[in-house]
Amino acid sequence: MNLKKAILFMVLSTIAFTGMNGLLKYLTAYSGPQLVFFRSLGSLFFTFGFLLSKGIPILGTNRKLLIIRGVFGSTSMLLFFIAVHYMPIGSAVALRYIAPIFAAVFAILILKEHVRPIQWLFFVLSFMGVLVLKGFDNSIPLIGLVLVLLASVFSGLVYVVIRKIGASEHPVVIVNYFMCIAMIVGGVLSIFDWTTPNLIDVLLLLSLGIFGYFGQIFMTKAFQMGETNVIAPIKYVEVVFAILVGVGFLGETYTIWSFVGIAMIISGLLLNLLFKQWLLKRKQN
């Protein structure tokens, strides 16, 4: 493993996703479905190009699960993109990160996995952070909170479906299905709320897909090269970057309660991650 390169790739991944999130907030003159359409279109150029150049079958083998993953992922993306219209980008990104909690619940119900009692305490800490954000931060309306929480629910379902798919499919095949379905969903829904972009906005809209694709690639490389317990926490730096972009470039403001709530959410998730890694090492020893 090359830890320095792994850390570098994860930092690059967070920067790429921050670029995508910043553009999302900047482009809120366009509807959520339209943002989903262009974000997907911008990524498909890379996913199709990669699969064709490597001779990897585009349709894959677990087509039913791939379609389900694409539907769940597209729904999560659409809900999150709409939620960004209603709240500061840093708060939206932090709230989206509670998806692993829903994933744990679905893993219990669907995959029959076990969650330790102390992990539920960590999850409660994160949910208390959500309550602090909503209860004390007037910049987060109820509709925005509901949308981003629903996005996290569907994102949690995505984690479970990917676990079911396992290593039977190439990661880019999974992403390609996701982007194809998202493009169709976004394109159809955009018919009812379409704003014709100028040339500059077209380039910015397509850049959503470019940032998203490279964010995913860099993150995958990081996890391939470094230990999860070292690399995964760096992912949460994306929240800090999102806040900096929001304040520095988008004119957003945050209260002290915003930072308290965000810190509680991330702390609960980090504690759960570290505990799982401790359990894994304990079993290996």
Side-chain angles (χ1 to χ4, degrees):
M1 292 191 208
N2 191 323
L3 185 58
K4 288 185 178 180
K5 280 190 175 181
I7 292 173
L8 174 61
F9 277 128
M10 184 52 84
V11 171
L12 290 174
S13 172
T14 60
I15 292 173
F17 280 125
T18 299
M20 185 188 76
N21 291 327
L23 280 177
L24 274 179
K25 190 65 178 178
Y26 178 75
L27 295 167
T28 47
Y30 300 94
S31 68
Q34 197 169 350
L35 292 172
V36 168
F37 172 75
F38 279 102
R39 187 265 188 258
S40 307
L41 187 63
S43 289
L44 282 173
F45 173 81
F46 296 99
T47 56
F48 269 114
F50 178 87
L51 294 174
L52 292 173
S53 66
K54 299 294 183 180
I56 300 172
I58 292 174
L59 294 179
T61 54
N62 297 298
R63 295 171 190 175
K64 182 179 179 180
L65 285 177
L66 287 167
I67 291 172
I68 292 173
R69 184 265 183 263
V71 171
F72 285 159
S74 300
T75 304
S76 177
M77 183 195 296
L78 177 62
L79 291 168
F80 178 73
F81 282 15
I82 297 174
V84 169
H85 286 70
Y86 294 96
M87 67 177 70
I89 189 62
S91 299
V93 171
L95 288 167
R96 186 187 61 186
Y97 272 127
I98 67 169
I101 300 177
F102 295 114
V105 174
F106 292 131
I108 294 171
L109 298 175
I110 301 173
L111 304 178
K112 308 303 179 183
E113 293 185 357
H114 180 66
V115 175
R116 301 294 182 92
I118 192 172
Q119 289 179 268
W120 291 113
L121 290 177
F122 299 150
F123 294 157
V124 168
L125 175 60
S126 291
F127 265 114
M128 287 177 63
V130 173
L131 295 176
V132 169
L133 266 179
K134 179 64 189 82
F136 296 96
D137 190 344
N138 294 326
S139 65
I140 302 179
L142 181 59
I143 184 173
L145 178 65
V146 171
L147 286 169
V148 78
L149 289 180
L150 285 174
S152 298
V153 169
F154 280 98
S155 186
L157 286 169
V158 167
Y159 294 155
V160 174
V161 175
I162 290 177
R163 288 284 296 279
K164 291 282 286 184
I165 294 173
S168 62
E169 300 287 355
H170 193 284
V172 180
V173 172
I174 299 175
V175 174
N176 194 60
Y177 260 83
F178 172 27
M179 292 295 100
C180 284
I181 293 173
M183 184 184 68
I184 294 170
V185 171
V188 171
L189 294 178
S190 293
I191 295 173
F192 306 100
D193 190 10
W194 178 268
T195 300
T196 302
N198 57 39
L199 179 59
I200 293 177
D201 280 2
V202 167
L203 295 176
L204 292 177
L205 286 163
L206 290 174
S207 294
L208 291 171
I210 298 173
F211 279 121
Y213 175 80
F214 282 102
Q216 199 73 42
I217 292 297
F218 289 142
M219 183 173 65
T220 301
K221 287 182 176 292
F223 280 118
Q224 288 174 334
M225 300 177 71
E227 294 183 5
T228 301
N229 63 322
V230 177
I231 300 304
I234 300 174
K235 175 68 176 167
Y236 296 112
V237 175
E238 182 185 343
V239 178
V240 178
F241 287 165
I243 292 173
L244 292 176
V245 168
V247 173
F249 297 96
L250 302 173
E252 295 180 341
T253 57
Y254 295 82
T255 67
I256 186 64
W257 290 111
S258 302
F259 294 117
V260 170
I262 290 171
M264 291 173 68
I265 292 171
I266 294 177
S267 295
L269 296 172
L270 277 175
L271 287 170
N272 178 61
L273 173 65
L274 294 173
F275 179 75
K276 287 196 296 184
Q277 292 302 314
W278 177 78
L279 283 179
L280 182 60
K281 288 185 176 181
R282 187 181 177 185
K283 289 180 180 179
Q284 292 174 343
N285 294 329

